[in-house]
Amino acid sequence: MTHPPPVDYKAQSAADFLKDTLPCQPRIGMILGSGLGALSAEIQAPVAVPYGDIPHFPVSSVPGHRGTLVGGDLCGLPVAALSGRVHLYEGHTPEVVTFPMRVLAALGVEMVIITAAVGCLNTDHAPGDIVVLSDHINLMGANPLTGGANFVDLTTLYNPELRKTAVAVAAGQGIHLGEGVYAAMQGPCYETPAEIRALKALGADVVGMSTVPEAIMAHSLGMRVLGLTMVTNMAAGLTGAPLSHEEVMIASDEGAQRFQALVRGILAVLAESRTPCLLYTSPSPRDYKYDL
Ligand code: HPA
C-alpha cells in the first residue's frame, strides 16, 4: 500500500501566505546570489515581500544578501525572485537553508535558476565570466535530504535541456559561457591553496559555499534546476593575491549586466517555446520529511 507524502506544514503556510500576496502564481523561481540581486528590479508589476514578513522564512545577516522575494512578470513568465539566501556557514541547518526551495515547490514553481558567486579553479575562465553548472561535488559534510531514506538520483540534477538553452542563448549574445563542476564547501573561510589543488584534482572547475543544498532539494521536489554562477575571483593560491569578500562583491557587480542579459534571454526562450509543462518528472515522489 502506498501512502501520500506527508505535508510540509511550515513551507505550506509560507506558500499560502505568498499565494495571497503575489500578483500571480510563479512558474519560475530564481535565487539571486551575492551581487546578482539587481535582476529583481527588472520584474514587471512587481510585488516585493521582505523575507521577515513570510511565515517561517529564514533571514540572512550577510552583506549583499538582501532578503526580499519579488513576484511578477519577467520576459513574459511569472517569476518569484529571491534576493538573498541563508547559508550553512551562518550556522543554519540544511533544513533551514533549503526552506525557500520547499516553499517554491509548494507554490507550484516548476523550475529554479540558482545563481551564486564562485571562485574559479579553471584557468580557461576569469573573474566576470559566467559558468553554467554541469554537476557538483558536495564537500559540505551536509545533505538536505538527511533524515529520510530518500535515494534520489542526481544524474541529471543540472537539467541538460536547460544547460543547452543557456549555452545557445549565451552564444547568441556573444557571451563567453563556461560549463563546469561546482565544489561545495561549507565555509565561511575561503579555501587554502592546498584545498584548491585537491579540488582541482577531484575535477572541480568552480568553488562556492551555497547552491548545492538548494539544488538537491529542488531536484528532489521535482523542480528543474539551472545553476548559473558568476566568477568573482580566481581560487586561493592561483594568483598569489589574498581573497576578500569585498573583492567578491566588486567583481560580481562588473559582470552583473551580462548575467542579467543571459537570464532574460533564457527566460525569453522558455516563454517563446510555450513548453506546455516545464516540470521535470522526478523519479521519486515529492517527499517532504520536515515538520511531520
Ligand atoms: N571560495 C568559496 N566561495 C566563494 C569564492 C571562493 O573563492 N568566491 C566566491 N564565493
Side-chain angles (χ1 to χ4, degrees), residues 11 30-31 57 82 97-106 112-114 213-215 217-219 221 223:
M30 297 191 296
I31 313 300
F57 220 81
L82 281 71
V97 167
T98 57
F99 185 76
M101 292 296 125
R102 294 185 280 127
V103 174
L104 291 179
V112 286
I113 302 178
I114 303 180
E214 295 148 330
M217 180 57 78
H219 180 76
L221 295 175
M223 296 186 285

Side-chain angles (χ1 to χ4, degrees), residues 117-120 185 189-191 207-209 232-236 243 248:
V118 288
C120 194
M185 304 293 280
C189 52
Y190 292 113
E191 301 69 37
V207 59
M209 305 174 196
T232 53
N233 57 281
M234 296 313 285
L243 306 187
V248 167

Side-chain angles (χ1 to χ4, degrees), residues 73-94:
D73 180 290
L74 191 57
C75 304
L77 287 170
V79 302
L82 281 71
S83 292
R85 51 154 65 94
V86 297
H87 302 83
L88 292 177
Y89 64 69
E90 295 172 76
H92 296 290
T93 62

Side-chain angles (χ1 to χ4, degrees), residues 37-95:
L39 198 58
S40 58
E42 300 187 23
I43 292 174
Q44 304 295 304
V47 170
V49 190
Y51 287 175
D53 290 357
I54 308 171
H56 314 292
F57 220 81
V59 178
S60 173
S61 52
V62 180
H65 288 272
R66 289 190 350 246
T68 311
L69 184 151
V70 181
D73 180 290
L74 191 57
C75 304
L77 287 170
V79 302
L82 281 71
S83 292
R85 51 154 65 94
V86 297
H87 302 83
L88 292 177
Y89 64 69
E90 295 172 76
H92 296 290
T93 62
E95 172 183 353

Side-chain angles (χ1 to χ4, degrees), residues 99-182:
F99 185 76
M101 292 296 125
R102 294 185 280 127
V103 174
L104 291 179
L107 261 179
V109 162
E110 298 157 27
M111 67 162 273
V112 286
I113 302 178
I114 303 180
T115 76
V118 288
C120 194
L121 292 78
N122 183 333
T123 47
D124 292 344
H125 310 307
D129 281 358
I130 304 169
V131 176
V132 60
L133 299 186
S134 56
D135 208 338
H136 74 229
I137 304 170
N138 183 3
L139 298 166
M140 292 179 132
N143 189 302
L145 305 183
T146 298
N150 199 349
F151 303 111
V152 176
D153 173 41
L154 301 185
T155 309
T156 55
L157 195 172
Y158 300 97
N159 186 271
E161 284 165 44
L162 292 175
R163 280 163 50 199
K164 262 190 234 156
T165 303
V167 169
V169 169
Q173 294 181 342
I175 293 176
H176 170 66
L177 182 72
E179 274 201 273
V181 174
Y182 181 103

